[in-house]
Amino acid sequence: MAFVLVVRMKVSEGNEERAVEIARELAEASRGEPGCMVYKPCVDPDDPSSILIFEEYDDKAAFEAHGATEHFQRLALGEIFTLMESR
């Protein structure tokens, strides 16, 4: 059974452009992971500070492996999470 995750985040004012860049870089790297079927960041056209990321993995183990990758640690934990007001 697939493991699906929908992440909604609100980016702090002034960081919208950088957050989108990071989300796109993270998506590109994540799509290359074994077990990652879909990794799609979306920006609300009416509110550029609102980003949604739709993720689908083969299973929970593939999702957990995603969290341990170098690119997730660097781009998500190290960068985009620091730009958020909420998640």
Side-chain angles (χ1 to χ4, degrees):
M1 177 181 280
F3 188 86
V4 174
L5 184 70
V6 178
V7 177
R8 291 184 179 159
M9 61 183 78
K10 184 79 167 175
V11 179
S12 58
E13 189 175 337
N15 290 308
E16 298 89 354
E17 206 171 294
R18 179 63 184 140
V20 169
E21 290 172 8
I22 297 166
R24 289 182 179 148
E25 186 178 346
L26 182 58
E28 185 176 331
S30 298
R31 289 182 193 125
E33 296 171 22
C36 180
M37 299 188 304
V38 177
Y39 198 102
K40 182 166 180 72
C42 305
V43 179
D44 184 334
D46 296 324
D47 180 4
S49 68
S50 182
I51 299 174
L52 180 137
I53 300 176
F54 180 83
E55 305 174 45
E56 185 175 359
Y57 300 89
D58 287 341
D59 51 29
K60 188 174 181 181
F63 165 71
E64 290 171 348
H66 163 71
T69 62
E70 180 278 332
H71 55 266
F72 181 83
Q73 296 292 315
R74 178 174 45 85
L75 296 170
L77 295 178
E79 290 195 56
I80 201 166
F81 288 3
T82 68
L83 304 177
M84 288 189 253
E85 282 182 13
S86 63
R87 176 176 72 126

